[in-house]
């Protein structure tokens, strides 16, 4: 266990972080200057745009949608004939969308938003010089709303944008947004960084955004947010708007998150994020008062995974994680972002409030364990659960499913159409099977063992949407459920 204690009482917490912020700002102050003359004010961004814009591409997607005649979808028609009425050939139509992307490697690796290419049957990339290429989706990550594409442009290297260290972005920095708004063609807009570390926007699971007032509109998604040195600060992702047009509030995924997804894409497309092994909650003003803090901030640890990285470093329930790698943690999304941008094996210092003192704990990050193995299985036999696909939950599998990584048991993944479970909703995807006929179920094999095809009735407990239900099935006769808690 690697632990170093810092002699710092809670009252010094404010001084600690204000000093840290002051040093960061002082160190960067000489690189950022206010114009001092009319000549400097008249300087143009044209050379910067000329160097950067060729690395920003337009992306067009096509998806074939099959629709039946509107008559078959009429509610009155369905009432008499049901959903299975299927004569007539379904009609096909093509649904298109557009967005932007950024070339980050000369061999044709492109970063864009996941929502730009999600569900697409065809993806076309158009370069700034009007050349067109079919693109292959290497990795799509809905949790960060990022996707990595590749095109084959031959032996000629493509122009690229270099990824910046987005932790160096400061409020007030001048930025340019380059993209394809409304499909009118490549467009450049300018502004400043309005805020950093925006975490409560609900845009993605790892929300931690650079906010800018540079005009960003539909079609800009996946485009570049660059600094005045021409480096890529982030990928434009979303806007805050009531009309769908720019209101001067745009959000970009920071370059440091782009780096982590890109790294995974180039590593055989396997995206498994490092894991701290804690579950917690953001420290609100009410919690801060109870913890003796003078302001909200940090993450209160509610649960620690046994033998996980945090447990090995001596972090326990009730501790408050205040900083990661010298970066202040404001809330839980901020902690998740910091960990997600790192790699397995990284040893990082955490500032932790424990027993009234700020202590430094060195944590060696690991990948979440898959224990037990997921054992995906389709239940078979003459029983009400026939046609249900289940699997064992584990931290690794739960991360993929985007659910609480600490949950254990057997989760329902899919219910076969026309199966008894589908018709009567005995089980639905997301249910966690806890027990059947009085026997606790922890793994798929135990579930298979406990299902008796000759049973006269099945009494089982499930956790559905956070509530525990007990259900009773009498085959071919009755089905009822009641909520226990």
């Amino acid at each position: 266990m690697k632990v170093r204690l810092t002699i710092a009482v809670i009252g010094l917490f404010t001084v600690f972080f204000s000093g840290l912020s002051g040093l960061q700002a002082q160190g960067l102050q000489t690189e950022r200057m206010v114009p001092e003359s009319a000549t400097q004010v008249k300087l143009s961004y044209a050379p910067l745009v000329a160097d950067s814009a060729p690395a920003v591409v337009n992306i067009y997607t096509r998806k074939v949608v099959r629709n039946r005649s509107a008559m078959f979808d009429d509610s009155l028609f369905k009432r008499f004939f049901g959903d299975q009425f299927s004569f007539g050939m379904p009609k096909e139509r093509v649904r298109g969308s557009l967005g932007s992307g950024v070339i980050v490697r000369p061999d044709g690796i492109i970063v864009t938003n996941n929502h730009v290419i999600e569900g697409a049957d065809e993806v076309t990339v158009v370069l700034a010089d009007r050349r067109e290429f079919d693109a292959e989706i290497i990795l799509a990550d809905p949790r960060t709303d990022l996707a990595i594409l590749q095109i084959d442009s031959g032996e000629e290297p493509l122009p690229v944008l270099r990824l910046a260290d987005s932790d160096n972005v400061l409020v007030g920095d001048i930025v340019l947004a380059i993209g394809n708004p409304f499909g009118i063609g490549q467009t450049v807009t300018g502004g400043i960084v309005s805020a950093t570390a925006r975490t409560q926007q609900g845009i993605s699971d790892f929300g931690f955004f650079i906010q800018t007032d540079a005009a960003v509109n539909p079609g800009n998604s996946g485009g570049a947010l660059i600094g005045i040195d021409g480096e890529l600060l982030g990928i434009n992702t979303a806007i805050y708007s009531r009309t769908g047009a720019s209101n001067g509030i745009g959000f970009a995924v920071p370059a440091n998150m782009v780096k982590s997804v890109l790294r995974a894409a180039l590593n055989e497309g396997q995206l498994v994020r490092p894991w701290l092994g804690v579950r917690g909650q953001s420290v609100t003003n009410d919690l801060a008062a109870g913890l003796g803090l003078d302001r909200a901030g940090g993450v209160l640890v509610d649960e620690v995974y046994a033998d996980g990285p945090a447990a090995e470093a001596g972090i326990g329930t009730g501790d408050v994680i205040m900083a990661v790698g010298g970066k202040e943690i404001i809330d839980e999304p901020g902690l998740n972002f910091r960990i997600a941008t790192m790699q397995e094996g990284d040893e990082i210092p955490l500032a932790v409030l424990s027993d009234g003192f700020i202590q430094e704990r060195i944590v060696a990050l690991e990948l979440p364990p898959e224990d037990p193995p997921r054992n995906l299985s389709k239940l078979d036999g003459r029983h009400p659960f026939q046609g249900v696909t289940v699997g064992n939950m584990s931290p690794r599998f739960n991360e993929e499913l985007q659910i609480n990584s600490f949950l254990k048991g057997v989760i329902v993944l899919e219910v076969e159409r026309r199966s008894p479970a589908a018709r009567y909703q005995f089980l639905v995807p997301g249910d966690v099977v806890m027990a059947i006929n009085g026997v606790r179920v922890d793994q798929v094999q135990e579930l298979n063992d406990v299902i008796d095809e000759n049973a006269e009735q099945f009494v089982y407990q499930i956790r559905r949407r956070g509530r525990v239900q007990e259900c009773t099935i009498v085959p071919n006769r009755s089905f009822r459920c009641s909520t226990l808690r």
Side-chain angles (χ1 to χ4, degrees), residues 348-364:
I348 55 172
L350 270 62
V352 178
L353 175 64
S354 182
D355 298 326
F357 293 89
I358 300 281
Q359 306 177 6
E360 185 180 79
R361 306 289 174 87
I362 306 299
V363 177

Side-chain angles (χ1 to χ4, degrees), residues 382-385 436-437 450-459 471-480:
R382 299 179 61 83
H383 52 74
F385 310 115
I436 292 183
N437 288 342
V450 79
I451 295 177
D452 182 359
E453 296 184 4
N454 299 317
E456 295 183 359
Q457 69 175 15
F458 295 86
V459 180
C471 302
T472 301
I473 301 173
V474 178
N476 301 318
R477 291 184 57 186
S478 64
F479 166 63
R480 66 179 185 276

Side-chain angles (χ1 to χ4, degrees), residues 117-153:
I117 55 86
E118 189 172 21
D121 295 317
E122 299 176 14
V123 179
T124 301
V125 169
V126 182
L127 305 187
D129 61 11
R130 298 180 300 283
R131 286 183 294 166
E132 294 188 9
F133 299 92
D134 292 332
E136 175 189 359
I137 301 173
I138 299 178
L139 187 150
D141 182 28
R143 302 192 71 182
T144 58
D145 195 22
L146 292 174
I148 309 298
L149 313 178
Q150 183 161 29
I151 61 174
D152 182 4
S153 62

Side-chain angles (χ1 to χ4, degrees), residues 407-463:
L407 290 177
K408 300 179 180 179
V410 177
I411 187 169
V412 176
L413 302 169
E414 187 178 353
V415 178
E416 190 176 74
R417 191 179 179 185
R418 298 190 181 91
S419 67
R423 275 199 302 270
Y424 302 104
Q425 294 192 324
F426 297 154
L427 294 171
V428 299
D431 286 351
V432 178
V433 183
M434 303 170 64
I436 292 183
N437 288 342
V439 180
R440 179 172 172 169
V441 172
D442 292 321
Q443 295 191 30
V444 171
Q445 186 57 54
E446 296 173 353
L447 175 60
N448 272 312
D449 292 342
V450 79
I451 295 177
D452 182 359
E453 296 184 4
N454 299 317
E456 295 183 359
Q457 69 175 15
F458 295 86
V459 180
Y460 63 98
Q461 291 184 358
I462 57 173
R463 183 184 296 109

Side-chain angles (χ1 to χ4, degrees), residues 106-123:
D107 57 353
I109 298 296
I110 297 170
V111 179
T112 185
N113 285 140
N114 176 71
H115 74 259
V116 170
I117 55 86
E118 189 172 21
D121 295 317
E122 299 176 14
V123 179

Side-chain angles (χ1 to χ4, degrees), residues 7 56 59 70 85 105 132 161 176 180 185 187 189 209 221 232 270 318 347 350 358 365 426 444 448 473:
I7 303 175
V56 181
I59 295 177
F85 203 84
R105 284 174 54 111
E132 294 188 9
L161 284 182
L176 301 180
N180 181 21
T187 302
T189 57
F209 299 96
S221 290
L232 182 67
Q270 298 297 315
E347 294 190 356
L350 270 62
I358 300 281
L365 295 179
F426 297 154
V444 171
N448 272 312
I473 301 173

Side-chain angles (χ1 to χ4, degrees), residues 9-26:
V9 296
I10 300 174
L12 295 178
F13 168 66
T14 303
V15 177
F16 172 76
F17 280 114
S18 63
L20 177 64
S21 300
L23 288 174
Q24 291 175 335
Q26 183 178 1

